[in-house]
Amino acid sequence: MDEIRRRGGARIGWVNASFPLASLSVTADRIEINGFLLGNYSFRPEEVVELKRIGIPVIYSGLRIVHSISSYPARIEFFPMSSVDGLKDQIEQSGFNPKGRQSAIPPKEGMAFRWPFVALAIIGWNLLFILDGFIFLPWRPPPEKILPGPFVSLALALVFLSALSILKSERFRSLALKPDRSVQEVGAFLRLILLVTGGLFIGIVFFAGAR
């Protein structure tokens, strides 16, 4: 059977991509999910334990790839526009048969980030917002007329740079992630952070310059 290709939505870890931002492709020896911001996730039959139907009747339905790749997020799901049962039948007809063992699924406890890193990020974020909102700065106009100020801009820039550093720098990554966790687990989440904080920062700079 020829390669199966479907367009739909996906959920990778904590991040969702709605239709038509994700795609699924299947051959006899590979199943692969690609998505905007999500990255690329490819599996061989021996790495897939089960293709599990998920969802709530009438509301939504999808296909969860139960896998044994420790560097991938535990939750990898695809939501086709067509019938999930029909898609499962087509995958079986393609010759792709899960051969992974349940015992091979790696145990993962809690989130991939170190707690001290998360606590520092939350405290720093909130402190900068408090400084921007409650400390009197003589050069700022009355509160009802202002755009987010320098401390909010600094908070966005620091979050952007932190996310980028986790993706690109092994040294910084070791400070942010637990020793036994992979950046691929949080890659989709970090790319979403880059998009959101980068967009907000550019928007602040643009509107500030237009005033």
Side-chain angles (χ1 to χ4, degrees):
M1 186 175 179
D2 294 336
E3 181 178 13
I4 299 169
R5 290 182 176 274
R6 291 290 180 275
R7 180 66 58 177
R11 180 184 295 129
I12 306 295
W14 306 336
V15 182
N16 292 329
S18 301
F19 176 88
L21 298 179
S23 65
L24 175 79
S25 60
V26 185
T27 62
D29 56 5
R30 176 186 53 82
I31 185 167
E32 186 174 301
I33 290 180
N34 288 282
F36 175 69
L37 290 180
L38 302 179
N40 176 285
Y41 301 87
S42 183
F43 307 86
R44 301 189 305 272
E46 58 270 22
E47 295 167 333
V48 178
V49 177
E50 180 185 4
L51 296 175
K52 183 178 181 181
R53 192 185 194 283
I54 59 169
I56 301 172
V58 181
I59 299 177
Y60 78 97
S61 60
L63 201 62
R64 176 177 295 169
I65 301 177
V66 182
H67 64 88
S68 60
I69 301 179
S70 60
S71 62
Y72 285 3
R75 176 179 285 184
I76 297 182
E77 300 167 350
F78 180 75
F79 302 94
M81 293 299 293
S82 56
S83 163
V84 172
D85 292 328
L87 177 58
K88 282 193 71 175
D89 289 342
Q90 289 180 327
I91 291 174
E92 289 177 6
Q93 292 168 16
S94 75
F96 185 94
N97 296 306
K99 298 176 181 177
R101 295 171 299 155
Q102 189 76 27
S103 59
I105 298 176
K108 293 182 180 180
E109 296 184 5
M111 61 180 177
F113 293 102
R114 294 179 186 267
W115 275 111
F117 177 82
V118 173
L120 183 62
I122 292 173
I123 292 169
W125 174 269
N126 285 291
L127 179 61
L128 289 170
F129 269 73
I130 289 171
L131 288 173
D132 217 3
F134 294 97
I135 285 186
F136 174 71
L137 300 175
W139 60 85
R140 296 176 66 189
E144 66 273 8
K145 296 182 180 178
I146 63 171
L147 286 166
F151 292 108
V152 169
S153 299
L154 177 60
L156 292 171
L158 288 175
V159 171
F160 181 92
L161 292 173
S162 295
L164 185 63
S165 297
I166 295 172
L167 285 171
K168 300 297 184 182
S169 169
E170 233 178 277
R171 179 171 295 183
F172 192 88
R173 192 180 304 153
S174 67
L175 299 175
L177 301 182
K178 295 174 182 176
D180 57 341
R181 308 302 282 268
S182 166
V183 70
Q184 284 185 292
E185 288 186 62
V186 293
F189 173 70
L190 293 173
R191 286 187 285 271
L192 177 62
I193 291 294
L194 290 175
L195 179 68
V196 172
T197 55
L200 288 172
F201 186 83
I202 292 171
I204 289 172
V205 172
F206 175 79
F207 284 112
R211 292 187 55 161

